Amino acid sequence: MADYLYLIPLFPLIGFLINGLLLGKLSRSMVNLVACASVAASFVVSLLLFFDLKSLPPDSRVIEQVLFTWIPSGTLHVNFGFLLDPLSAVMILVVTGVGFLIHVYSTGYMKHDPGFGRYFAYLNLFTFSMLTLVLANNYLLMFVGWEGVGLCSYLLIGFWFEKKSASDAGKKAFIVNRIGDFGFLIGMFLIFWHVGSLDFRVVMEQAPIVFIAGSGLVTAICLLLFVGATGKSAQIPLYVWLPDAMEGPTPVSALIHAATMVTAGVYMIARTNILYMMAPDALMVVAIIGAATALFAATIGLAQNDIKRVLAYSTVSQLGYMFLACGVASFTAGIFHLMTHAFFKALLFLGAGSVIHAMSEQQDMRYMGGLKKYLPITYITFLLATLAISGIPGFSGFFSKDEILWKSFSSANGHPILWAIGFVTAGLTAFYMFRLVYMTFHGKERMDDETRKHIHESPYSMTVPLMVLGVLSVIGGWIGIPHIFGATNYFEHWLEPVMAAGKHFAPVHTAAAESGGASTEWMLMILTVVFVLAAIFIAYLFYNKRTELATAWRQRLTGVHNLLLNKYYVDEIYGAIIVRPVINLSLFLWKVVDVVFIDGFINGFATMYDGSSEFMSKMQTGRVRSYATLFVIGVVILIAYMVME
Amino acid sequence: MIDITAAGLDFSLIAPEIALLVAAFIILLTGYVRGLSNLSFTIAFIGLVVGIALSVGQWGQQASGFYGMVTCDNFGVAFKVMFASITLLVLLLGTRYMKSRGILKPEYYALLLISTMGMMVMANTTDLVVMFLGLEIMSIPLYVLAGFARRSLESNESGLKYFIMGSFASAFLLMGIAFIFGASGTTELRRIVADIGFIIDHHRIFLYTGVTLILVGFGFKVAAVPFHSWVPDVYQGAPTPVTAFFSVGPKAAGFAVLLRIFLFGFAGLAFLSSVFWVLAVLTMTIGNVLALRQKNVKRLLAYSSIAHAGYILVALAVGGENAISAAVFYLVAYAVFNLGGFAVVTLLETRSGCKSDFVELPGLSKAHPYLSAVLALFMFALSGFPPTVGFFGKFYLFAAAVKANFIWLTVIGVMNSFLSVYYYLRVIKASYIDPSEKSWAPVTYSPAMLVVLFITVIGTLGLGLFPQQLLQFAREAIFAFL
């Protein structure tokens, strides 16, 4: 079975080739079939390989398949190979599983779009790239996948490119990501420079020998890689592209900008965990950025009125949680949250898509309300996902978020302040999510009559994926139940072999963190749950029971509200201090340096050559005697020179 | 060192030459028999294949015969194989053209074979007089071939100009050999090498004058500036397949002897490097600059052949193993893609009234997409783009120059190659971008032409992707040369 590893990325690639090459020649149902079947096939192979891997003893759970030597160039030797270990196994299951559901959903969502062929070709290409990213056995191939998903993200954000805002959003995503990629590349070069290989297994084996733990070099590498992660995974300061990316079709937001691509940064850090363990300073930066992003994005989410934008900021915030987990050296918790988040956030986006679909493309929640009775399936599944993301006990998000909060408090790399930020964010998350639910599904119907007439529940192709994801949102967390409940944390055990090497570099646990571990953990957990319930109650009061309270508070806090509504003016600040100077500089380079100097220089040369060409052509008279004269002159000069030697 | 005196008449050393000569004689004899004249092509073909096979058989040998007049080594053999292969391709690409112009005579084949045999003689010796002999055997058929389209004024002009200028150059060459003989008492390079110190001390002026005049004589054949003026007129006037032959065959032969004489015989004369430095720079620059304004593809290729000679002259300025093998590599590569380019031009000119002016090209890409893609490929190869072999040709040459610390020569060479992109791309632009009004006459491919295009395309791309084989060949070719 292990020999069939390459099939996992291959199937979506074939799907892309069929749909891409036969664009416009296949019928709609054929396109749907090819797109969904290719991802389904990948999912089946992934499952089989997962069980294969599971049947191995924990310490030897690694399947590596080298297909061919990709770059044999001097000291740089890169294989084209795939690596399946517990970590990438989780990733491929999420990517193909959630990916498949979203493909199915898309067949309903994109039913009326003339560009369906192009859409599914891109979606398959994305799946291929994402699988390459997570299955790559070396940094360079991972980077290929990394860039591939970036490309697909660009293409799909700007899918409706005739709309200027969409094509602008695509460009913004691409350009912002380039900044991150720059860091990633430099980090990769540094690894190659010092280790002499980009192969994950070699790097992980060599790292303790080549690098000195805590040295500036390994810290620099980790920080540079993290710059790449902040771009791809939308963290401060490079998160600005993700909210704009909502211009793309909603299933794309679910797949790329919630469940899979944006988590690539978390995956990459978990993959590189040994280096990060050797660089506690870098870990601290990751934790701080993660916590800050979580809080910052959650506060923006409080005031947004566009249903997808709320979810977008929520995604940024939840990604912040994942980085917080990584930053406190609990990569397992980060990946765990990555997985549960993939379930419930994909569901939230798909549910929002269903709402938008029903509301004739209306995305502003101020014109919604009372949709509960029109969209029962959407409502119930959406509610499940909301409970999950809010961290209500029993739902998947509870377990993963609780683990992160506990680790940020108790881990030797953690700090009570980090916990406090996570704690506050948990409350904010519950508040803005229930605000969204109440504004959308409850209360007065605020849409116009024309829209109301067209409201309908989505077709089965869309609701069935919602239901499957609804189930996953509830039970997805049960594989990682914390020890204090007396259960086994299967997820942690599963990932243990991948994280084992890095554990050597973990600081020795201080007695303080260990003592009274269980009782503290219980206390913090209960505190969080109570806080979240309070937040939900406030949301209920503000946006359902007594909406005038919300208005009153909004007026009382106009300044703060405007600040949040305008997203802290970050886009404007970036525009003023970065974008505008860059544009001015390019204008100068173009109009002055390029047009005047470079073009002038080149044109001057061209004119000179043209002139000399004309002059010399005149010497080409066609008369033999002039040729002979030139000949003799040449001979005389040569002889004169030689004789003088 | 081979013992010169011991070796007497050993006909196996000149077997390839004999094969070509015999084939040429058979063609001349049977050409007058009605019914047998159609066999000329086949006989020439067989003669060349046998010639190649016999040459290949000499590979690895290290022998001298005819009392030192003939020397058989890998270097000469490599060139002999190259000459015969070039002629074979020319044979295949030109037949349809010559027939369409009504000038396909048995003599055409015979002259090509004899000229090729002359080149082989040039490459197969270390004696200056034999080289001269080979040069004349090569050149006299070329004069006739240039004027082969008897009823065309341009062709007549071409033949006559080539003849006048050629004899002029031969006179200088012979004079140079005489000076050398006067200075050293021999025309055999190995003896000169042995005595060079003595000769310099006692007959410096004679020696230097002789060396200069020899350089002039062969410089003429490879079209080095300022001995290049004949090239555009002769190339344009001659029948196109003949031009194709001119542009690669005699040039390769000229370089074979230049490399042998100046990097083996007179390698001790350090100042020659600076002379070649100047010649290389002049040749490539003037060839390129003159090519800029051409409006005819054939004439453009004529100037481009001057420029390419300039690049190869870099190897003569640099010297050393790397440079010589790079030059051999370049000559093979250039033969492949330049013949390819001429094949396309020949194909286009097979249509009546076409003279391959730029104005005739627009619309080619629409009417004949494959042909225009092939033409574009050769233009890219000529300008030295990867992944064509043109890139590696230049790369190895300039790499050798950089390694030997000829930085400025390399810079000028790269700048020149950059400049040349302009006019090669003009051909592509004309066939792809320029708007066309008239409809295109159909182009008919003869099977022979398809074979030529196939070989040259595969060679251009294949050697560009896997240059290692050819480089290995070039390295072995100069084994025991120095």
Side-chain angles (χ1 to χ4, degrees), chain A residues 198-520:
Chain A
L198 289 170
D199 200 276
F200 288 141
R201 294 222 279 176
V202 178
V203 172
M204 301 314 147
E205 271 166 28
Q206 295 288 312
I209 305 162
V210 177
F211 298 115
I212 302 158
S215 66
L217 175 65
V218 70
T219 308
I221 291 175
C222 288
L223 287 177
L224 285 165
L225 292 180
F226 182 58
V227 169
T230 59
K232 189 82 19 193
S233 297
Q235 296 296 293
I236 292 174
L238 298 180
Y239 71 92
V240 287
W241 64 270
L242 186 58
D244 287 19
M246 297 302 126
E247 291 287 346
T250 307
V252 168
S253 312
L255 178 62
I256 302 184
H257 305 121
T260 54
M261 183 190 85
V262 288
T263 62
V266 182
Y267 166 76
M268 188 257 284
I269 288 181
R271 174 58 76 204
T272 320
N273 65 75
I274 183 165
L275 292 184
Y276 279 90
M277 290 306 288
M278 293 173 73
D281 295 342
L283 270 185
M284 191 179 72
V285 172
V286 174
I288 292 171
I289 295 274
T293 309
L295 181 65
F296 183 78
T299 55
I300 298 178
L302 296 175
Q304 298 302 310
N305 290 317
D306 183 312
I307 185 167
K308 283 183 71 182
R309 278 193 178 258
V310 176
L311 294 178
Y313 281 106
S314 161
T315 305
V316 175
S317 169
Q318 298 297 312
L319 288 165
Y321 268 121
M322 297 175 209
F323 282 104
L324 171 60
C326 293
V328 297
S330 179
F331 305 98
T332 313
I335 296 294
F336 188 31
H337 196 57
L338 183 160
M339 187 188 77
T340 59
H341 175 258
F343 298 149
F344 59 67
K345 187 50 70 59
L347 175 53
L348 289 172
F349 267 112
L350 295 184
S354 180
V355 168
I356 295 164
H357 201 60
M359 293 290 296
S360 315
E361 308 303 319
Q362 175 61 264
Q363 301 193 8
D364 194 326
M365 296 189 294
R366 284 171 297 186
Y367 303 102
M368 294 180 185
L371 290 176
K372 185 166 72 164
K373 68 174 182 226
Y374 299 102
L375 311 170
I377 303 176
T378 306
Y379 172 64
I380 290 173
T381 52
F382 200 91
L383 191 62
L384 291 177
T386 308
L387 292 168
I389 192 177
S390 305
I392 302 299
F395 290 87
S396 60
F398 167 74
F399 298 107
S400 55
K401 195 180 285 181
D402 182 66
E403 195 180 343
I404 295 176
L405 288 177
W406 170 240
K407 284 284 156 57
S408 59
F409 185 85
S410 68
S411 155
N413 297 79
H415 195 278
I417 294 177
L418 292 175
W419 173 82
I421 296 174
F423 172 77
V424 172
T425 307
L428 296 176
T429 308
F431 179 81
Y432 68 68
M433 280 314 300
F434 273 90
R435 169 177 176 266
L436 188 155
V437 168
Y438 286 124
M439 281 180 83
T440 309
F441 293 102
H442 293 262
K444 266 198 301 221
E445 296 171 15
R446 297 181 296 272
M447 67 292 281
D448 55 47
D449 293 338
E450 185 58 29
T451 314
R452 194 201 319 272
K453 248 187 284 172
H454 289 104
I455 298 180
H456 57 279
E457 180 59 283
S458 300
Y460 284 120
S461 56
M462 289 165 70
T463 50
V464 171
L466 292 182
M467 291 186 257
V468 177
L469 284 169
V471 173
L472 287 171
S473 298
V474 178
I475 64 166
W478 297 355
I479 54 169
I481 297 174
H483 304 284
I484 52 167
F485 285 98
T488 318
N489 191 335
Y490 293 108
F491 198 78
E492 199 172 341
H493 288 305
W494 174 249
L495 286 184
E496 224 156 32
V498 184
M499 310 299 170
K503 283 276 191 294
H504 297 299
F505 296 95
V508 185
H509 263 253
T510 49
E514 288 293 343
S515 69
S519 59
T520 320

Side-chain angles (χ1 to χ4, degrees), chain A residues 605 609-614 616-617 620-624 627-628 630-632 634-635 638-639 641-645, chain B residues 161 164-165 168 172 204-205 208 212-213 216 220 226-227 229 232-233 271-272 274-275 286 289-290 292-293 303 419:
Chain A
F605 255 96
Y609 273 117
D610 202 49
S612 50
S613 184
E614 195 180 352
M616 285 189 228
S617 295
Q620 200 70 36
T621 54
R623 283 194 216 99
V624 173
Y627 296 173
L630 185 63
F631 194 114
V632 171
V635 173
L638 269 180
I639 292 183
Y641 173 79
M642 294 245 192
V643 170
M644 274 186 228
E645 266 297 316
Chain B
K161 273 186 181 163
I164 295 173
M165 294 305 292
F168 197 57
F172 280 95
R204 201 172 60 97
I205 301 279
Y208 286 6
T212 312
L213 294 178
V216 169
F220 170 84
F227 317 114
S229 326
D233 295 356
F271 70 95
L272 277 173
S274 54
V275 172
I286 289 182
V289 167
L290 279 170
L292 290 178
R293 290 170 66 92
Y303 282 113
L419 184 64

Side-chain angles (χ1 to χ4, degrees), chain B residues 146-159:
Chain B
F148 209 70
R150 276 187 305 160
R151 293 183 203 293
S152 153
L153 264 182
E154 284 176 351
S155 180
N156 275 313
E157 180 192 336
S158 163

Side-chain angles (χ1 to χ4, degrees), chain B residues 390-456:
Chain B
F391 169 75
F392 282 101
K394 289 209 173 86
F395 175 76
Y396 290 135
L397 265 182
F398 292 141
V402 168
K403 226 175 254 173
N405 241 343
F406 283 82
I407 306 297
W408 279 107
L409 188 55
T410 310
V411 169
I412 295 171
V414 172
M415 296 285 278
N416 257 293
S417 137
F418 191 62
L419 184 64
S420 74
V421 173
Y422 170 76
Y423 58 83
Y424 293 124
L425 285 187
R426 272 182 65 207
V427 177
I428 298 174
K429 173 176 168 281
S431 52
Y432 276 91
I433 298 172
D434 288 353
S436 64
E437 289 102 37
K438 60 181 174 50
S439 63
W440 261 75
V443 173
T444 47
Y445 300 86
S446 65
M449 182 57 94
L450 284 175
V451 171
V452 174
L453 287 176
F454 181 78
I455 292 174
T456 48

Side-chain angles (χ1 to χ4, degrees), chain A residues 66 103 238 528 601:
Chain A
V66 174
H103 273 73
L238 298 180
T528 312
F601 187 68

